[in-house]
Each structure stands twice: as structure tokens, then as C-alpha cells.
Amino acid sequence: MKAFFEGIQYLFVDILFKPMDWFREMELSNWWTANIVNWIFIAVCCYWTWYWTKELKIFKDKGQDEQDTTAHSFLK
């Protein structure tokens, strides 16, 4: 059983998180590049938030959205 958990440790520490060690070392020379993963995540979240609100506006303009406060039976 111990070998199983050591295998999981090896997978995450020595393989999957190796790029994170590189970013951590890079932080001292260039903060912006070291945080590229965060910037990509922020850009993706901003895009999908914009897309979601655009779709909500389309449904609202067509009158297809239901603004019923009793959407669930237990709220009646």
C-alpha cells in the first residue's frame, strides 16, 4: 500500500507539477511571465463570462427567459 501512495507522489511531484517549479524559479526574474497560467485562466474566465451574458441578453430580447420566482415547487 505504501508503494501505491509513493507512486501517486512521484506522479504529481516529479511529473505533473514540474512546470510549476520552473515558474516558481522564473518569478525572481520576471513576475509577469511566471504568472502566465493565471493570466490565461483570467482571460478564459473573462471570455466565457462575456459569452454567457451575451447569450442571456439574446434570450431576454426574444422573451424566452422565464423570470418566475417560483421555479421550484417548494417555493410556491
Side-chain angles (χ1 to χ4, degrees):
M1 192 64 162
K2 182 179 179 183
F4 174 72
F5 289 110
E6 287 175 350
I8 293 174
Q9 174 188 353
Y10 172 76
L11 173 68
F12 281 92
V13 173
D14 296 336
I15 297 173
L16 296 177
F17 290 152
K18 202 49 125 174
M20 296 299 127
D21 291 338
W22 181 68
F23 285 133
R24 183 181 43 155
E25 292 171 5
M26 185 191 306
E27 184 178 14
L28 298 175
S29 62
N30 190 347
W31 182 87
W32 293 95
T33 308
N35 287 296
I36 192 72
V37 174
N38 295 331
W39 293 115
I40 292 171
F41 180 72
I42 289 170
V44 168
C45 288
C46 287
Y47 170 77
W48 285 111
T49 302
W50 170 80
Y51 177 79
W52 179 50
T53 54
K54 182 182 71 136
E55 290 295 315
L56 286 174
K57 184 176 181 335
I58 290 171
F59 279 100
K60 186 172 185 179
D61 291 343
K62 288 182 183 177
Q64 292 178 343
D65 62 337
E66 295 183 16
Q67 298 282 333
D68 189 11
T69 58
T70 58
H72 299 286
S73 61
F74 60 84
L75 294 174
K76 290 182 181 181

